[in-house]
Amino acid sequence: MGLDTPTSFWFARREWLAGATGSFLLAMSPGGADALTASPHPVPTEADDRPWDLLIRGGTVIDPSQDLGEIRDVAIRSGKIVRVERDLPAGQARQVVDASRKLVTPGLIDVHTHVFPYVGPYGIEPDPYCVTRGVTTALDAGTSGAFTFPALRKFIIPAAATRIRALLHVVSIGMVTGSTPDMGELEDLRYCDPELAVRVAEANRDLIVGFKIRFSEKYTGPNDLEGLKRARAAADQAQLPLMTHIGGSFTPLPQLLALMRKGDVVTHSFNSRPHGIVDAAGKVTPEVQEARQRGVLFDVGHGAGSFSFDVMEHCLRQGFLPDTISSDLYSANIHGPVYDLTTTLSKFLLLGLNLREVFARCTVNAARMFNFGAEIGTLKPGAEADVSVLDLLAGDFTFTDSDGKTRRGGRKLLPVVTVRAGKLFYPVAG
Ligand SMILES: [Zn+2]
C-alpha cells in the first residue's frame, strides 16, 4: 500500500476549466523582480499593529493534507501559516499577494534532486531551479557521500533559500565520477563503508534524512548486491530510510527488492531500462507488488534517463501510481526533458491524475516519506510558511519523456511566486 491510495478524481477536469481557475491565459507576473532575491521581509514598526506579515488572497487552495480544494486566503506571520479561511481582511496584512485565478499549494517538496554544484558533474545551483519555481524543499539524493558531505553542509545549504536536506550516498565519494563507464562509484567496494556512512549521518542528523545507493551496472560493475547489503546495514544501524536508484542493474530487481524494507524508497521506478518494475508485456511484476504491500515506496525520479511515458501508462492502467513525484533535476536535464518539478507534475496531469493526486505526491506524501525536521507539505495553521502560487495554463503543450517520446497535454503548471519562510521568490526571467 502506498502513502496515498488512489481515489476517485477529486475534481472533474471540466469543473476546473469552467470554474475556479477561470481564465488561464494570464501572463506570469513576476512583479518586476527578475533576480533570485526575495522581497525585503516586512519589518513591523511600532505604529504598525497589523497582525499578519503576508496575505495570499483569493487563490484556489489545494492542500491534500487537509482535503482542501477551494478558494481561501492564507495569512502568514513570523514564518508560519496562521489562518486559511475565506475573505480574510487585507488591511490586516503588511503585504498582500493577489492569487486570484491561481492555484495555491503547500510549498512543493522534490524528493529527488542534485543540488550540490561544483563537486562532480551532476550538481546544480538550488535556488534558480527550486525556490523560484515552486519548490521550497529539495532533497539532494546522494550527490554527496561521507567524504564530500561536509562541503554540501558548509557551502551550499546555508547559502540557499531553498530548504535542502540530503540523502547520504553510502559510497563515500558520492557522485563525483559521473557516468564514465569505467569510473562508477560502486566499482571499488573500498569506497562503500557503512560504518563511515553511519558516523557522518549520526553527526548530521539535522540535515541527513536517509541513505542513497545507485544500481545501474555502469556505476556498480558486479557489486550492486554487496553494495546493497552494506547500505542495508547502514540504514538499519542509523534507523534511516534507504533510497535505491534502479534501472539497468547487474542483479535482477527481485533480488534487490528483497533487501528493501518498509519506508525504503525505490526511485526511477518508471524507467524503460532492463530490470525495471514491469515485465516485457508491461505488467507490474509480482515482486514489485509484494514490495509495495510490505511498505516499500515508489518514487518517480524523472531524470534524463529514467522516466518512460509507456511504462508509466502501463502502470497507471494497473492502478500502480507513484507514491511521490520527483524531478531528479541535475545538470544534464535542466534544459530538457525535465526542466523543473512543475513540468514533471504537468506530465502527470496529461496522464490522467487530477490536481489533488498530483499535489499529494509532492506535498503531504513527500513530507511523510522522510523526516525533514519541520512541519511542511501542509498549509495547516502552525506549519512553516512555505507556499507555492502556480498558474494552470490551458493550451496545446508537448511534453517529452527520458526516451525522447512525446505526449500532448492541454494543461501546464507554471510557477508564479513562491513563499519560503514568509519571503517571496519569483521565477528567474528567461
Ligand atoms: Zn538522481
Side-chain angles (χ1 to χ4, degrees):
M1 184 70 70
L3 288 170
D4 183 62
T5 308
T7 55
S8 60
F9 275 21
W10 207 37
F11 303 108
R13 183 169 303 175
R14 207 162 284 128
E15 281 173 46
W16 275 98
L17 289 172
T21 44
S23 167
F24 295 98
L25 297 174
L26 294 169
M28 251 194 335
S29 47
D34 61 357
L36 294 180
T37 49
S39 66
H41 203 44
V43 179
T45 63
E46 282 185 37
D48 190 345
D49 59 356
R50 288 174 289 185
W52 303 322
D53 299 324
L54 179 64
L55 183 67
I56 303 167
R57 281 187 88 194
T60 299
V61 172
I62 300 183
D63 181 0
S65 78
Q66 306 183 73
D67 208 25
L68 195 56
E70 57 187 49
I71 293 178
R72 295 282 177 97
D73 299 340
V74 179
I76 289 166
R77 183 177 61 220
S78 302
K80 303 283 184 189
I81 306 290
V82 288
R83 291 175 73 175
V84 181
E85 296 169 25
R86 285 182 181 276
D87 301 323
L88 291 172
Q92 298 291 298
R94 279 183 281 279
Q95 191 174 16
V96 176
V97 169
D98 178 10
S100 51
R101 298 187 295 277
K102 305 286 190 287
L103 305 179
V104 176
T105 70
L108 307 181
I109 303 169
D110 192 339
V111 297
H112 189 155
T113 67
H114 296 280
V115 288
F116 183 20
Y118 315 119
V119 178
Y122 290 96
I124 55 168
E125 289 280 356
D127 290 348
Y129 301 98
C130 297
V131 76
T132 55
R133 301 196 193 192
V135 173
T136 49
T137 300
L139 185 59
D140 183 88
T143 325
S144 75
F147 292 163
T148 56
F149 176 79
L152 179 63
R153 162 151 219 142
K154 183 174 175 66
F155 298 113
I156 305 300
I157 293 176
T162 308
R163 178 189 292 100
I164 298 172
R165 298 292 181 268
L167 300 177
L168 187 73
H169 204 309
V170 179
V171 177
S172 55
I173 56 173
M175 292 164 57
V176 296
T177 54
S179 57
T180 307
D182 57 356
M183 290 177 67
E185 73 263 16
L186 198 53
E187 289 197 281
D188 187 335
L189 281 165
R190 290 177 299 173
Y191 290 121
C192 188
D193 178 350
E195 295 293 330
L196 176 61
V198 168
R199 277 203 301 281
V200 172
E202 294 286 9
N204 297 277
R205 279 274 180 185
D206 55 334
L207 297 177
I208 294 174
V209 301
F211 294 105
K212 173 85 185 292
I213 192 164
R214 299 200 293 173
F215 297 139
S216 295
E217 187 172 358
K218 61 184 173 182
Y219 306 132
T220 65
N223 295 331
D224 54 4
L225 199 54
E226 176 57 27
L228 176 55
K229 287 175 184 170
R230 298 182 189 193
R232 173 80 274 142
D236 288 348
Q237 192 175 335
Q239 292 287 294
L240 287 171
L242 172 66
M243 178 185 275
T244 62
H245 151 139
I246 67 163
S249 55
F250 174 83
T251 300
L253 185 60
Q255 286 177 254
L256 301 172
L257 285 175
L259 284 171
M260 295 186 68
R261 296 195 177 150
K262 180 178 165 64
D264 290 338
V265 182
V266 173
T267 190
H268 307 320
S269 302
F270 307 97
N271 75 78
S272 60
R273 287 174 283 159
H275 298 314
I277 70 169
V278 296
D279 64 19
K283 190 169 184 300
V284 178
T285 65
E287 293 86 355
V288 167
Q289 296 282 15
E290 192 275 329
R292 170 163 275 189
Q293 286 299 318
R294 67 187 144 86
V296 174
L297 303 168
F298 289 84
D299 171 53
V300 170
H302 188 311
S306 301
F307 180 72
S308 156
F309 280 132
D310 292 343
V311 171
M312 192 71 251
E313 285 164 347
H314 281 304
C315 290
L316 291 175
R317 278 194 287 272
Q318 296 162 72
F320 195 94
L321 277 70
D323 293 297
T324 44
I325 300 173
S326 66
S327 65
D328 187 23
L329 269 178
Y330 57 87
S331 56
N333 63 46
I334 51 177
H335 301 298
V338 179
Y339 300 102
D340 51 28
L341 183 62
T342 52
T343 303
T344 305
L345 301 178
S346 301
K347 293 175 183 178
F348 283 83
L349 292 176
L350 78 84
L351 287 165
L353 273 67
N354 65 21
L355 290 167
R356 181 197 185 282
E357 291 169 325
V358 166
F359 285 113
R361 286 164 172 77
C362 54
T363 58
V364 63
N365 286 12
R368 288 178 187 157
M369 189 175 263
F370 299 99
N371 178 7
F372 290 99
E375 190 174 2
I376 58 173
T378 179
L379 295 176
K380 286 178 184 163
E384 295 290 315
D386 292 0
V387 187
S388 299
V389 180
L390 306 164
D391 238 332
L392 183 59
L393 303 182
D396 183 11
F397 305 105
T398 298
F399 296 95
T400 306
D401 71 5
S402 306
D403 298 336
K405 295 189 177 178
T406 58
R407 298 285 187 278
R408 286 166 71 173
R411 296 182 295 172
K412 185 174 185 178
L413 289 161
L414 215 57
V416 175
V417 61
T418 308
V419 183
R420 159 86 180 97
K423 299 181 183 178
L424 303 182
F425 297 87
Y426 294 92
V428 179

